[in-house]
Amino acid sequence: WIAARRSGRDSSNTGEEAIATSLIDAAFQAGTLMQRMLAVKLADRWNTGILLAQAPLVALLIAGVFGRRMRSEIDLASWSAVSSAVGMTAFLLGLAAVWFGCSNAAREIVAERAIYRRERMVGLSAIAYLGSKVAVLGLLCVVQCLVMLFIVGLGCGLEGSWWHVLLLLVLAALAGMAAGLALSAFSKTPEAAAAALPLVVLPLVILGGSLLPLDELPAPATFVADMMPSRWAFEGVVVGEALARHE
């Protein structure tokens, strides 16, 4: 009787039930992996402290160097200095956000490759594993961007919408996180991943739109610059700030 019921069960329903079960299992796995990752981050106080200290240190440097100029009253004599300070502050905010995401994630996968392979053999979902990384590291990126924006916003007197800037910074950080995870997945060792970070960061600086205007770049470089998250973060922040100051 049981065999007859099983053989007569609708195959489409069976497929739907299997998909639902796999999604539930993946969600439970992701929750467990996030708890484990948070526990590891809290236990590794030194490295976690360095990651958290990056945002206030970078923000204090930006505010200390450009804050006075950005708060100056704009007139014919100060216009050039103020506009230059606004542009560099916007560029450094976007670049720092991308750096946060990339440096947070660069060692995550390669450092756990042996553990990941063992757990895959007993049914670990790759989607759950990657989702746990994205969730925890994404939360860290949001905290870093919030701290940096708060310090720079007060120190430099940002006049544009802080919510607009925060959204741009978080998106840039998430893009950097994706690049960091990809770098980690392709690296052989954590040391190799750390050594390759400059290869990711330097194009972000050179093609970010601040050192050289995009319309002066060669055509191939312009195409690559369009894929740089630092370029879009810089453009979004500086345009919003310029519009707010113009009003």
Side-chain angles (χ1 to χ4, degrees):
W1 181 74
I2 294 175
R5 285 181 60 86
R6 286 179 176 174
S7 62
R9 183 179 295 174
D10 184 5
S11 59
S12 63
N13 291 337
T14 302
E16 292 175 0
E17 291 174 2
I19 293 174
T21 302
S22 65
L23 290 176
I24 293 173
D25 289 342
F28 277 112
Q29 289 180 4
T32 302
L33 290 170
M34 283 188 285
Q35 292 177 5
R36 185 177 72 181
M37 188 175 174
L38 286 172
V40 170
K41 292 293 184 186
L42 292 175
D44 190 2
R45 296 180 180 179
W46 176 253
N47 286 330
T48 303
I50 291 176
L51 292 178
L52 292 175
Q54 288 181 1
L57 288 177
V58 171
L60 288 172
L61 282 172
I62 295 174
V65 173
F66 300 104
R68 184 176 179 181
R69 285 188 177 184
M70 286 189 62
R71 292 193 304 270
S72 301
E73 184 177 352
I74 299 178
D75 53 30
L76 290 177
S78 65
W79 178 88
S80 177
V82 174
S83 61
S84 176
V86 170
M88 286 304 303
T89 298
F91 175 69
L92 291 174
L93 282 173
L95 180 63
V98 180
W99 165 255
F100 293 156
C102 195
S103 62
N104 291 345
R107 299 189 181 191
E108 285 296 322
I109 295 178
V110 65
E112 298 178 349
R113 181 164 292 157
I115 299 174
Y116 172 76
R117 287 173 176 171
R118 288 198 301 268
E119 293 180 345
R120 281 286 288 170
M121 294 174 64
V122 293
L124 173 65
S125 168
I127 295 177
Y129 179 78
L130 185 59
S132 67
K133 295 294 183 186
V134 171
V136 176
L137 296 175
L139 177 61
L140 178 58
C141 289
V142 172
V143 172
Q144 290 172 314
C145 292
L146 271 172
V147 172
M148 181 173 65
L149 176 60
F150 179 77
I151 296 174
V152 173
L154 292 179
C156 295
L158 292 178
E159 298 182 10
S161 170
W162 285 24
W163 290 110
H164 171 77
V165 176
L166 178 62
L167 176 61
L168 292 170
L169 295 182
V170 170
L171 290 175
L174 292 179
M177 180 190 67
L181 288 173
L183 175 64
S184 184
F186 285 107
S187 299
K188 299 292 185 181
T189 63
E191 292 75 17
L197 270 177
L199 299 179
V200 177
V201 175
L202 286 176
L204 297 172
V205 177
I206 297 171
L207 301 176
S210 177
L211 299 182
L212 190 67
L214 295 175
D215 57 357
E216 297 181 13
L217 292 174
T222 302
F223 175 76
V224 178
D226 287 339
M227 296 185 287
M228 296 292 109
S230 58
R231 173 262 167 112
W232 294 107
F234 165 55
E235 185 172 326
V237 174
V238 76
V239 168
E241 186 67 15
L243 291 175
R245 289 173 178 267
H246 179 70
E247 294 174 358

